[in-house]
Amino acid sequence: MDKLLISGGVRLDGEIRIAGAKNSALPILAATLLTRDPVQVCNLPHLYDITTMIELLGCMGVQPVIDEKLNVEVDSSTIKHFSAPYELVKTMRASILVLGPLLAHYGEAEVALPGGCAIGSRPVNLHISALEAMGADIKVEDGYIKASVVNKLKGAHIFMDLVTVTGTENVMMAATLATGETIIENAAREPEVVDLANCLVAMGAKIKGQGTDTIVIQGVEKLHGCSYSVMPDRIETGTYLIAAAATRGHIKVKDTQPNILEAVLSKLEQAGADIKVGENWIELDMHNERPKSVSLRTAPYPAFPTDMQAQFTALNAIAAGTGSITETVFENRFMHVHEMNRMGASIQVEGNTVIVTGVESLNGAPVMATDLRASASLIIAGLVGKNETIVDRIYHIDRGYECIEEKLQLLGAKIKRLPS
Ligand code: UD1
């Protein structure tokens, strides 16, 4: 298994470009199953999760064509199977996103039931109950969700008990081809849900209210092809900004979207960062000062994202003062804390909150990544650590960060991949 070797203590300084958003690219690739016309998806990030989704389409008989700029054209008219096997679902839970499109377009779908993962049990009950409310017959047997519908799905009034991002996306995609009107209440407002909705609209769907907690979809007879460019990745953007702040550095991130990062930028300002934004760039300068601790609480958008919680914990670990971080979205998302404490951090877990007392600096150590965002936080800890840190199990990071060591090297970091 590859590892990353980091020699800490360098202030990050420079400019990088942000890739397309993983969490918007995945549902958009799944949405190509809603039409038999070719759909071109541009600005796809170069990530394992994207490769897994392309492989998943491939094992259904759909052969996406990738050009040299990593634009993908998906023509799903060759589809033969309507099944997402366990082998792929277990490496990427977002495979569940093919359930709604397959059911709505082809009337049947079999998707392996995603198991628990490093950050909690993560059930998909809300996806299932919403599709049942739309007339689907769904059985969970032999580890698979087996879904079918006689004729077409029917529009329904759905109230989501919890705000779920992929749940909202699955139901929204299914509703585009259902008969009549579907209303999703307590819908996720994440920018990636809006990006998917905009792509569906470009395919001929009738959707209103995306970005609010009530999304209304009028089903149409069929969708058509389009060319769509995926929005920039706000989590990648935030991760580099936090890394620069932790190292007292100065960074400009380009090809991004500042207006969807308000909660994160406001916390970085509280931490002492001087932030300037343009239409598609963000510049952060710590003026070589130590960051100040901040307290925060994760919650669905527009609040502070859970996908940036671990990285902020790393920032607080070396900041001046004490800050508390409360995780309200996932039940077990503090695995990184124990690794940071092994590097000399002073972090206590109390239920779903961590109390972080900032220390002057961390000490390099061998550490192990447990999930995607935890890996990013351990890299940040390594960047601010004295001497060397080796981060093991970095396949997690390759799932969600494009060329992370090259981008950090561009900013001056001493980081290299140690192949297994
Ligand atoms: C998506 C993101 C992930 C992010 C998360 C929260 C993608 C591909 N992944 O994951 O990066 O961390 O949103 O912003 O977009 N829940 C249920 N039943 C369900 C569905 C969800 O109880 O049927 C619970 C989950 O266990 C969790 C909470 O709802 O506690 C939110 O999860 P959800 O928004 O569904 O996360 P994902 O869509 O899987």
Side-chain angles (χ1 to χ4, degrees):
M1 260 180 256
D2 287 5
K3 297 177 182 161
L4 282 176
L5 171 66
I6 306 162
S7 302
V10 179
R11 282 179 63 217
L12 296 187
D13 190 355
E15 290 188 2
I16 49 161
R17 288 182 185 283
I18 294 303
K22 168 178 91 68
N23 286 355
S24 138
L26 292 173
I28 287 174
L29 285 171
T32 62
L33 294 169
L34 288 163
T35 173
R36 285 182 169 267
D37 291 350
V39 177
Q40 190 191 35
V41 189
C42 307
N43 199 33
L44 278 178
H46 195 187
L47 301 172
Y48 271 19
D49 273 9
I50 299 299
T51 315
T52 306
M53 186 55 96
I54 289 174
E55 216 178 304
L56 178 56
L57 295 173
C59 76
M60 294 180 202
V62 178
Q63 285 310 332
V65 180
I66 307 176
D67 73 14
E68 69 286 355
K69 288 189 186 143
L70 213 79
N71 296 330
V72 170
E73 188 171 281
V74 189
D75 174 352
S76 74
S77 60
T78 56
I79 192 161
K80 291 186 193 67
H81 316 283
F82 308 110
S83 168
Y86 180 63
E87 284 313 302
L88 291 175
V89 178
K90 76 172 186 210
T91 62
M92 188 184 65
R93 301 177 48 84
S95 309
I96 188 76
L97 285 163
V98 300
L99 180 63
L102 286 176
L103 192 57
H105 195 186
Y106 298 102
E108 58 177 299
E110 248 187 53
V111 178
L113 192 62
C117 69
I119 61 175
S121 62
R122 295 184 81 175
V124 289
N125 56 311
L126 300 174
H127 301 233
I128 294 176
S129 55
L131 293 169
E132 281 175 339
M134 297 174 76
D137 177 30
I138 303 187
K139 289 188 196 69
V140 178
E141 54 186 27
D142 312 324
Y144 275 77
I145 303 167
K146 298 180 179 175
S148 61
V149 63
V150 183
N151 299 320
K152 292 181 97 181
L153 290 173
K154 292 180 201 59
H157 195 149
I158 290 157
F159 184 88
M160 293 285 191
D161 286 346
L162 278 173
V163 176
T164 156
V165 176
T166 49
T168 301
E169 291 168 344
N170 240 335
V171 177
M172 184 167 71
M173 288 190 280
T176 59
L177 292 181
T179 52
E181 181 177 84
T182 299
I183 302 175
I184 312 174
E185 307 248 27
N186 201 25
R189 291 182 278 168
E190 267 64 7
E192 293 76 14
V193 175
V194 178
D195 207 31
L196 169 65
N198 293 344
C199 175
L200 293 168
V201 168
M203 292 168 72
K206 292 198 173 141
I207 305 177
K208 291 219 167 77
Q210 59 270 38
T212 76
D213 60 6
T214 307
I215 303 179
V216 181
I217 306 115
Q218 301 290 341
V220 295
E221 199 52 44
K222 60 193 270 201
L223 296 181
H224 52 70
C226 74
S227 176
Y228 193 81
S229 186
V230 172
M231 65 181 269
D233 197 310
R234 65 192 166 103
I235 309 297
E236 188 194 22
T237 305
T239 301
Y240 285 105
L241 292 174
I242 296 169
T247 61
R248 309 183 184 191
H250 179 195
I251 187 181
K252 186 169 182 181
V253 286
K254 299 196 293 194
D255 292 345
T256 188
Q257 214 174 307
N259 60 338
I260 51 175
L261 275 131
E262 279 174 9
V264 176
L265 296 184
S266 123
K267 289 294 167 190
L268 283 166
E269 279 178 333
Q270 281 177 33
D274 179 7
I275 292 180
K276 293 190 180 65
V277 300
E279 198 186 329
N280 64 352
W281 56 265
I282 303 171
E283 190 175 344
L284 174 147
D285 196 348
M286 288 300 287
H287 301 293
N288 205 10
E289 295 287 333
R290 182 180 180 192
K292 298 192 275 278
S293 276
V294 290
S295 292
L296 60 89
R297 184 183 173 86
T298 68
Y301 190 83
F304 191 93
T306 172
D307 283 352
M308 227 99 80
Q309 177 260 106
Q311 300 89 316
F312 239 90
T313 307
L315 179 69
N316 266 0
I318 47 80
T322 299
S324 72
I325 295 186
T326 302
E327 171 60 58
T328 74
V329 180
F330 290 111
E331 66 204 29
N332 179 26
R333 210 173 191 181
F334 289 132
M335 302 288 275
H336 47 282
V337 162
H338 310 291
E339 296 300 278
M340 286 178 198
N341 282 343
R342 292 180 51 247
M343 297 175 72
S346 173
I347 311 175
Q348 265 141 29
V349 183
E350 292 176 7
N352 68 342
T353 297
V354 288
I355 311 292
V356 192
T357 306
V359 294
E360 274 291 333
S361 75
L362 299 177
N363 301 313
V367 290
M368 198 163 73
T370 47
D371 75 65
L372 171 54
R373 307 304 169 186
S375 322
S377 74
L378 294 176
I379 292 176
I380 296 173
L383 291 171
V384 294
K386 284 189 218 137
N387 46 57
E388 289 186 342
T389 293
I390 293 180
V391 186
D392 200 351
R393 300 210 178 159
I394 54 152
Y395 54 84
H396 290 293
I397 204 107
D398 295 328
R399 286 189 37 222
Y401 289 90
E402 180 180 282
C403 307
I404 191 159
E405 69 267 33
E406 285 87 349
K407 287 188 182 180
L408 285 170
Q409 281 160 5
L410 268 177
L411 298 171
K414 291 193 184 132
I415 179 168
K416 70 175 179 188
R417 189 172 288 248
L418 305 174
S420 43

PDB file of all heavy atoms in Angstrom, residues 227-257:
ATOM      1  N   SER A 227     -24.281  18.558 -22.745  1.00  0.00           N
ATOM      2  CA  SER A 227     -22.884  18.629 -22.328  1.00  0.00           C
ATOM      3  C   SER A 227     -22.881  19.470 -21.061  1.00  0.00           C
ATOM      4  O   SER A 227     -23.476  20.545 -21.019  1.00  0.00           O
ATOM      5  CB  SER A 227     -22.065  19.301 -23.431  1.00  0.00           C
ATOM      6  OG  SER A 227     -20.738  19.454 -22.968  1.00  0.00           O
ATOM      7  N   TYR A 228     -22.262  18.979 -19.994  1.00  0.00           N
ATOM      8  CA  TYR A 228     -22.343  19.678 -18.709  1.00  0.00           C
ATOM      9  C   TYR A 228     -20.977  19.684 -18.032  1.00  0.00           C
ATOM     10  O   TYR A 228     -20.283  18.665 -18.006  1.00  0.00           O
ATOM     11  CB  TYR A 228     -23.369  18.986 -17.801  1.00  0.00           C
ATOM     12  CG  TYR A 228     -23.713  19.842 -16.602  1.00  0.00           C
ATOM     13  CD1 TYR A 228     -24.643  20.868 -16.714  1.00  0.00           C
ATOM     14  CD2 TYR A 228     -23.075  19.655 -15.386  1.00  0.00           C
ATOM     15  CE1 TYR A 228     -24.934  21.686 -15.635  1.00  0.00           C
ATOM     16  CE2 TYR A 228     -23.369  20.471 -14.298  1.00  0.00           C
ATOM     17  CZ  TYR A 228     -24.303  21.482 -14.438  1.00  0.00           C
ATOM     18  OH  TYR A 228     -24.579  22.294 -13.373  1.00  0.00           O
ATOM     19  N   SER A 229     -20.613  20.837 -17.480  1.00  0.00           N
ATOM     20  CA  SER A 229     -19.327  20.960 -16.798  1.00  0.00           C
ATOM     21  C   SER A 229     -19.548  20.967 -15.286  1.00  0.00           C
ATOM     22  O   SER A 229     -20.323  21.774 -14.764  1.00  0.00           O
ATOM     23  CB  SER A 229     -18.663  22.260 -17.266  1.00  0.00           C
ATOM     24  OG  SER A 229     -17.377  22.320 -16.738  1.00  0.00           O
ATOM     25  N   VAL A 230     -18.872  20.067 -14.593  1.00  0.00           N
ATOM     26  CA  VAL A 230     -19.042  19.902 -13.140  1.00  0.00           C
ATOM     27  C   VAL A 230     -18.485  21.121 -12.404  1.00  0.00           C
ATOM     28  O   VAL A 230     -17.444  21.662 -12.771  1.00  0.00           O
ATOM     29  CB  VAL A 230     -18.292  18.619 -12.700  1.00  0.00           C
ATOM     30  CG1 VAL A 230     -18.262  18.473 -11.202  1.00  0.00           C
ATOM     31  CG2 VAL A 230     -18.893  17.391 -13.371  1.00  0.00           C
ATOM     32  N   MET A 231     -19.166  21.550 -11.351  1.00  0.00           N
ATOM     33  CA  MET A 231     -18.719  22.701 -10.551  1.00  0.00           C
ATOM     34  C   MET A 231     -17.396  22.395  -9.818  1.00  0.00           C
ATOM     35  O   MET A 231     -17.022  21.237  -9.669  1.00  0.00           O
ATOM     36  CB  MET A 231     -19.790  23.034  -9.509  1.00  0.00           C
ATOM     37  CG  MET A 231     -19.968  21.922  -8.497  1.00  0.00           C
ATOM     38  SD  MET A 231     -21.227  22.276  -7.271  1.00  0.00           S
ATOM     39  CE  MET A 231     -20.237  23.037  -6.073  1.00  0.00           C
ATOM     40  N   PRO A 232     -16.706  23.439  -9.323  1.00  0.00           N
ATOM     41  CA  PRO A 232     -15.452  23.208  -8.584  1.00  0.00           C
ATOM     42  C   PRO A 232     -15.694  22.532  -7.228  1.00  0.00           C
ATOM     43  O   PRO A 232     -16.788  22.648  -6.658  1.00  0.00           O
ATOM     44  CB  PRO A 232     -14.901  24.614  -8.355  1.00  0.00           C
ATOM     45  CG  PRO A 232     -15.712  25.528  -9.190  1.00  0.00           C
ATOM     46  CD  PRO A 232     -17.011  24.876  -9.482  1.00  0.00           C
ATOM     47  N   ASP A 233     -14.680  21.854  -6.730  1.00  0.00           N
ATOM     48  CA  ASP A 233     -14.800  21.100  -5.487  1.00  0.00           C
ATOM     49  C   ASP A 233     -14.577  22.015  -4.274  1.00  0.00           C
ATOM     50  O   ASP A 233     -13.460  22.478  -4.031  1.00  0.00           O
ATOM     51  CB  ASP A 233     -13.782  19.952  -5.487  1.00  0.00           C
ATOM     52  CG  ASP A 233     -14.127  18.900  -4.452  1.00  0.00           C
ATOM     53  OD1 ASP A 233     -14.374  19.275  -3.287  1.00  0.00           O
ATOM     54  OD2 ASP A 233     -14.177  17.708  -4.805  1.00  0.00           O
ATOM     55  N   ARG A 234     -15.643  22.245  -3.506  1.00  0.00           N
ATOM     56  CA  ARG A 234     -15.507  23.171  -2.362  1.00  0.00           C
ATOM     57  C   ARG A 234     -14.732  22.518  -1.225  1.00  0.00           C
ATOM     58  O   ARG A 234     -14.084  23.204  -0.431  1.00  0.00           O
ATOM     59  CB  ARG A 234     -16.880  23.683  -1.895  1.00  0.00           C
ATOM     60  CG  ARG A 234     -17.777  22.631  -1.336  1.00  0.00           C
ATOM     61  CD  ARG A 234     -19.201  23.106  -1.154  1.00  0.00           C
ATOM     62  NE  ARG A 234     -20.054  21.945  -0.929  1.00  0.00           N
ATOM     63  CZ  ARG A 234     -20.532  21.585   0.248  1.00  0.00           C
ATOM     64  NH1 ARG A 234     -20.307  22.317   1.316  1.00  0.00           N
ATOM     65  NH2 ARG A 234     -21.285  20.502   0.364  1.00  0.00           N
ATOM     66  N   ILE A 235     -14.778  21.196  -1.123  1.00  0.00           N
ATOM     67  CA  ILE A 235     -14.058  20.544  -0.021  1.00  0.00           C
ATOM     68  C   ILE A 235     -12.550  20.539  -0.325  1.00  0.00           C
ATOM     69  O   ILE A 235     -11.730  20.788   0.564  1.00  0.00           O
ATOM     70  CB  ILE A 235     -14.579  19.104   0.208  1.00  0.00           C
ATOM     71  CG1 ILE A 235     -16.104  19.099   0.348  1.00  0.00           C
ATOM     72  CG2 ILE A 235     -13.897  18.480   1.415  1.00  0.00           C
ATOM     73  CD1 ILE A 235     -16.663  19.870   1.528  1.00  0.00           C
ATOM     74  N   GLU A 236     -12.198  20.305  -1.588  1.00  0.00           N
ATOM     75  CA  GLU A 236     -10.771  20.395  -1.939  1.00  0.00           C
ATOM     76  C   GLU A 236     -10.285  21.827  -1.690  1.00  0.00           C
ATOM     77  O   GLU A 236      -9.218  22.042  -1.097  1.00  0.00           O
ATOM     78  CB  GLU A 236     -10.555  20.008  -3.418  1.00  0.00           C
ATOM     79  CG  GLU A 236      -9.070  19.901  -3.756  1.00  0.00           C
ATOM     80  CD  GLU A 236      -8.752  19.867  -5.248  1.00  0.00           C
ATOM     81  OE1 GLU A 236      -9.568  20.319  -6.079  1.00  0.00           O
ATOM     82  OE2 GLU A 236      -7.641  19.425  -5.580  1.00  0.00           O
ATOM     83  N   THR A 237     -11.084  22.806  -2.108  1.00  0.00           N
ATOM     84  CA  THR A 237     -10.721  24.210  -1.902  1.00  0.00           C
ATOM     85  C   THR A 237     -10.452  24.477  -0.429  1.00  0.00           C
ATOM     86  O   THR A 237      -9.405  25.011  -0.048  1.00  0.00           O
ATOM     87  CB  THR A 237     -11.894  25.134  -2.363  1.00  0.00           C
ATOM     88  OG1 THR A 237     -12.218  24.831  -3.711  1.00  0.00           O
ATOM     89  CG2 THR A 237     -11.534  26.596  -2.223  1.00  0.00           C
ATOM     90  N   GLY A 238     -11.409  24.095   0.423  1.00  0.00           N
ATOM     91  CA  GLY A 238     -11.292  24.363   1.862  1.00  0.00           C
ATOM     92  C   GLY A 238     -10.097  23.650   2.468  1.00  0.00           C
ATOM     93  O   GLY A 238      -9.403  24.199   3.332  1.00  0.00           O
ATOM     94  N   THR A 239      -9.827  22.439   2.000  1.00  0.00           N
ATOM     95  CA  THR A 239      -8.710  21.662   2.560  1.00  0.00           C
ATOM     96  C   THR A 239      -7.382  22.389   2.327  1.00  0.00           C
ATOM     97  O   THR A 239      -6.558  22.512   3.242  1.00  0.00           O
ATOM     98  CB  THR A 239      -8.690  20.258   1.939  1.00  0.00           C
ATOM     99  OG1 THR A 239      -9.935  19.619   2.229  1.00  0.00           O
ATOM    100  CG2 THR A 239      -7.550  19.413   2.499  1.00  0.00           C
ATOM    101  N   TYR A 240      -7.160  22.911   1.104  1.00  0.00           N
ATOM    102  CA  TYR A 240      -5.899  23.631   0.844  1.00  0.00           C
ATOM    103  C   TYR A 240      -5.831  24.943   1.618  1.00  0.00           C
ATOM    104  O   TYR A 240      -4.761  25.336   2.085  1.00  0.00           O
ATOM    105  CB  TYR A 240      -5.703  23.870  -0.662  1.00  0.00           C
ATOM    106  CG  TYR A 240      -5.294  22.588  -1.362  1.00  0.00           C
ATOM    107  CD1 TYR A 240      -6.180  21.878  -2.149  1.00  0.00           C
ATOM    108  CD2 TYR A 240      -4.015  22.058  -1.176  1.00  0.00           C
ATOM    109  CE1 TYR A 240      -5.811  20.684  -2.749  1.00  0.00           C
ATOM    110  CE2 TYR A 240      -3.642  20.858  -1.771  1.00  0.00           C
ATOM    111  CZ  TYR A 240      -4.546  20.182  -2.556  1.00  0.00           C
ATOM    112  OH  TYR A 240      -4.171  18.988  -3.127  1.00  0.00           O
ATOM    113  N   LEU A 241      -6.981  25.615   1.771  1.00  0.00           N
ATOM    114  CA  LEU A 241      -6.970  26.867   2.539  1.00  0.00           C
ATOM    115  C   LEU A 241      -6.599  26.575   3.997  1.00  0.00           C
ATOM    116  O   LEU A 241      -5.800  27.292   4.608  1.00  0.00           O
ATOM    117  CB  LEU A 241      -8.345  27.552   2.481  1.00  0.00           C
ATOM    118  CG  LEU A 241      -8.760  28.095   1.105  1.00  0.00           C
ATOM    119  CD1 LEU A 241     -10.200  28.607   1.160  1.00  0.00           C
ATOM    120  CD2 LEU A 241      -7.825  29.222   0.652  1.00  0.00           C
ATOM    121  N   ILE A 242      -7.165  25.509   4.555  1.00  0.00           N
ATOM    122  CA  ILE A 242      -6.878  25.159   5.951  1.00  0.00           C
ATOM    123  C   ILE A 242      -5.403  24.758   6.092  1.00  0.00           C
ATOM    124  O   ILE A 242      -4.727  25.148   7.054  1.00  0.00           O
ATOM    125  CB  ILE A 242      -7.823  24.033   6.437  1.00  0.00           C
ATOM    126  CG1 ILE A 242      -9.274  24.526   6.445  1.00  0.00           C
ATOM    127  CG2 ILE A 242      -7.414  23.539   7.833  1.00  0.00           C
ATOM    128  CD1 ILE A 242     -10.320  23.437   6.642  1.00  0.00           C
ATOM    129  N   ALA A 243      -4.897  24.004   5.109  1.00  0.00           N
ATOM    130  CA  ALA A 243      -3.482  23.587   5.161  1.00  0.00           C
ATOM    131  C   ALA A 243      -2.581  24.821   5.154  1.00  0.00           C
ATOM    132  O   ALA A 243      -1.600  24.901   5.910  1.00  0.00           O
ATOM    133  CB  ALA A 243      -3.159  22.680   3.980  1.00  0.00           C
ATOM    134  N   ALA A 244      -2.926  25.809   4.327  1.00  0.00           N
ATOM    135  CA  ALA A 244      -2.109  27.028   4.271  1.00  0.00           C
ATOM    136  C   ALA A 244      -2.201  27.783   5.594  1.00  0.00           C
ATOM    137  O   ALA A 244      -1.196  28.277   6.114  1.00  0.00           O
ATOM    138  CB  ALA A 244      -2.570  27.906   3.118  1.00  0.00           C
ATOM    139  N   ALA A 245      -3.414  27.847   6.156  1.00  0.00           N
ATOM    140  CA  ALA A 245      -3.580  28.571   7.432  1.00  0.00           C
ATOM    141  C   ALA A 245      -2.782  27.879   8.531  1.00  0.00           C
ATOM    142  O   ALA A 245      -2.119  28.536   9.339  1.00  0.00           O
ATOM    143  CB  ALA A 245      -5.066  28.631   7.810  1.00  0.00           C
ATOM    144  N   ALA A 246      -2.814  26.546   8.559  1.00  0.00           N
ATOM    145  CA  ALA A 246      -2.117  25.816   9.622  1.00  0.00           C
ATOM    146  C   ALA A 246      -0.610  26.039   9.543  1.00  0.00           C
ATOM    147  O   ALA A 246       0.067  26.075  10.569  1.00  0.00           O
ATOM    148  CB  ALA A 246      -2.435  24.319   9.519  1.00  0.00           C
ATOM    149  N   THR A 247      -0.077  26.204   8.313  1.00  0.00           N
ATOM    150  CA  THR A 247       1.382  26.386   8.171  1.00  0.00           C
ATOM    151  C   THR A 247       1.770  27.869   8.172  1.00  0.00           C
ATOM    152  O   THR A 247       2.893  28.208   7.797  1.00  0.00           O
ATOM    153  CB  THR A 247       1.892  25.737   6.859  1.00  0.00           C
ATOM    154  OG1 THR A 247       1.245  26.370   5.748  1.00  0.00           O
ATOM    155  CG2 THR A 247       1.615  24.239   6.813  1.00  0.00           C
ATOM    156  N   ARG A 248       0.824  28.746   8.528  1.00  0.00           N
ATOM    157  CA  ARG A 248       1.056  30.208   8.569  1.00  0.00           C
ATOM    158  C   ARG A 248       1.427  30.731   7.180  1.00  0.00           C
ATOM    159  O   ARG A 248       2.243  31.649   7.035  1.00  0.00           O
ATOM    160  CB  ARG A 248       2.174  30.567   9.560  1.00  0.00           C
ATOM    161  CG  ARG A 248       1.977  29.961  10.925  1.00  0.00           C
ATOM    162  CD  ARG A 248       3.046  30.382  11.889  1.00  0.00           C
ATOM    163  NE  ARG A 248       2.848  29.701  13.160  1.00  0.00           N
ATOM    164  CZ  ARG A 248       3.488  29.994  14.276  1.00  0.00           C
ATOM    165  NH1 ARG A 248       4.375  30.984  14.293  1.00  0.00           N
ATOM    166  NH2 ARG A 248       3.251  29.339  15.385  1.00  0.00           N
ATOM    167  N   GLY A 249       0.842  30.121   6.155  1.00  0.00           N
ATOM    168  CA  GLY A 249       1.263  30.404   4.788  1.00  0.00           C
ATOM    169  C   GLY A 249       0.406  31.427   4.056  1.00  0.00           C
ATOM    170  O   GLY A 249      -0.402  32.171   4.646  1.00  0.00           O
ATOM    171  N   HIS A 250       0.587  31.432   2.732  1.00  0.00           N
ATOM    172  CA  HIS A 250      -0.073  32.387   1.833  1.00  0.00           C
ATOM    173  C   HIS A 250      -0.403  31.617   0.564  1.00  0.00           C
ATOM    174  O   HIS A 250       0.490  31.066  -0.072  1.00  0.00           O
ATOM    175  CB  HIS A 250       0.915  33.534   1.548  1.00  0.00           C
ATOM    176  CG  HIS A 250       0.353  34.571   0.623  1.00  0.00           C
ATOM    177  ND1 HIS A 250       1.126  35.498  -0.006  1.00  0.00           N
ATOM    178  CD2 HIS A 250      -0.920  34.820   0.222  1.00  0.00           C
ATOM    179  CE1 HIS A 250       0.362  36.273  -0.763  1.00  0.00           C
ATOM    180  NE2 HIS A 250      -0.891  35.877  -0.631  1.00  0.00           N
ATOM    181  N   ILE A 251      -1.674  31.559   0.186  1.00  0.00           N
ATOM    182  CA  ILE A 251      -2.072  30.700  -0.928  1.00  0.00           C
ATOM    183  C   ILE A 251      -3.154  31.380  -1.751  1.00  0.00           C
ATOM    184  O   ILE A 251      -3.981  32.127  -1.215  1.00  0.00           O
ATOM    185  CB  ILE A 251      -2.589  29.343  -0.371  1.00  0.00           C
ATOM    186  CG1 ILE A 251      -2.860  28.350  -1.482  1.00  0.00           C
ATOM    187  CG2 ILE A 251      -3.789  29.499   0.482  1.00  0.00           C
ATOM    188  CD1 ILE A 251      -3.393  27.007  -0.973  1.00  0.00           C
ATOM    189  N   LYS A 252      -3.141  31.107  -3.061  1.00  0.00           N
ATOM    190  CA  LYS A 252      -4.259  31.530  -3.913  1.00  0.00           C
ATOM    191  C   LYS A 252      -4.801  30.282  -4.581  1.00  0.00           C
ATOM    192  O   LYS A 252      -4.051  29.553  -5.236  1.00  0.00           O
ATOM    193  CB  LYS A 252      -3.777  32.542  -4.954  1.00  0.00           C
ATOM    194  CG  LYS A 252      -4.906  33.132  -5.762  1.00  0.00           C
ATOM    195  CD  LYS A 252      -4.427  34.307  -6.589  1.00  0.00           C
ATOM    196  CE  LYS A 252      -5.579  34.930  -7.349  1.00  0.00           C
ATOM    197  NZ  LYS A 252      -5.153  36.055  -8.177  1.00  0.00           N
ATOM    198  N   VAL A 253      -6.088  30.009  -4.387  1.00  0.00           N
ATOM    199  CA  VAL A 253      -6.701  28.869  -5.072  1.00  0.00           C
ATOM    200  C   VAL A 253      -7.574  29.411  -6.204  1.00  0.00           C
ATOM    201  O   VAL A 253      -8.378  30.322  -5.996  1.00  0.00           O
ATOM    202  CB  VAL A 253      -7.522  27.949  -4.131  1.00  0.00           C
ATOM    203  CG1 VAL A 253      -6.625  27.119  -3.263  1.00  0.00           C
ATOM    204  CG2 VAL A 253      -8.483  28.719  -3.268  1.00  0.00           C
ATOM    205  N   LYS A 254      -7.350  28.836  -7.390  1.00  0.00           N
ATOM    206  CA  LYS A 254      -8.048  29.347  -8.575  1.00  0.00           C
ATOM    207  C   LYS A 254      -9.047  28.315  -9.100  1.00  0.00           C
ATOM    208  O   LYS A 254      -9.004  27.148  -8.703  1.00  0.00           O
ATOM    209  CB  LYS A 254      -7.012  29.669  -9.652  1.00  0.00           C
ATOM    210  CG  LYS A 254      -6.046  30.747  -9.152  1.00  0.00           C
ATOM    211  CD  LYS A 254      -5.250  31.391 -10.248  1.00  0.00           C
ATOM    212  CE  LYS A 254      -4.279  30.438 -10.879  1.00  0.00           C
ATOM    213  NZ  LYS A 254      -3.294  31.125 -11.711  1.00  0.00           N
ATOM    214  N   ASP A 255      -9.918  28.748 -10.001  1.00  0.00           N
ATOM    215  CA  ASP A 255     -10.962  27.892 -10.579  1.00  0.00           C
ATOM    216  C   ASP A 255     -11.868  27.323  -9.495  1.00  0.00           C
ATOM    217  O   ASP A 255     -12.218  26.139  -9.503  1.00  0.00           O
ATOM    218  CB  ASP A 255     -10.358  26.729 -11.389  1.00  0.00           C
ATOM    219  CG  ASP A 255      -9.664  27.235 -12.634  1.00  0.00           C
ATOM    220  OD1 ASP A 255      -9.889  28.399 -12.995  1.00  0.00           O
ATOM    221  OD2 ASP A 255      -8.891  26.477 -13.224  1.00  0.00           O
ATOM    222  N   THR A 256     -12.207  28.154  -8.524  1.00  0.00           N
ATOM    223  CA  THR A 256     -13.100  27.698  -7.462  1.00  0.00           C
ATOM    224  C   THR A 256     -14.308  28.631  -7.372  1.00  0.00           C
ATOM    225  O   THR A 256     -14.507  29.470  -8.265  1.00  0.00           O
ATOM    226  CB  THR A 256     -12.336  27.600  -6.126  1.00  0.00           C
ATOM    227  OG1 THR A 256     -13.194  26.988  -5.182  1.00  0.00           O
ATOM    228  CG2 THR A 256     -11.855  28.949  -5.613  1.00  0.00           C
ATOM    229  N   GLN A 257     -15.122  28.473  -6.321  1.00  0.00           N
ATOM    230  CA  GLN A 257     -16.367  29.252  -6.213  1.00  0.00           C
ATOM    231  C   GLN A 257     -16.513  29.752  -4.769  1.00  0.00           C
ATOM    232  O   GLN A 257     -17.034  29.011  -3.933  1.00  0.00           O
ATOM    233  CB  GLN A 257     -17.524  28.320  -6.582  1.00  0.00           C
ATOM    234  CG  GLN A 257     -18.663  28.995  -7.285  1.00  0.00           C
ATOM    235  CD  GLN A 257     -19.696  27.973  -7.730  1.00  0.00           C
ATOM    236  OE1 GLN A 257     -19.374  26.995  -8.391  1.00  0.00           O
ATOM    237  NE2 GLN A 257     -20.937  28.187  -7.351  1.00  0.00           N
TER     238      GLN A 257
END
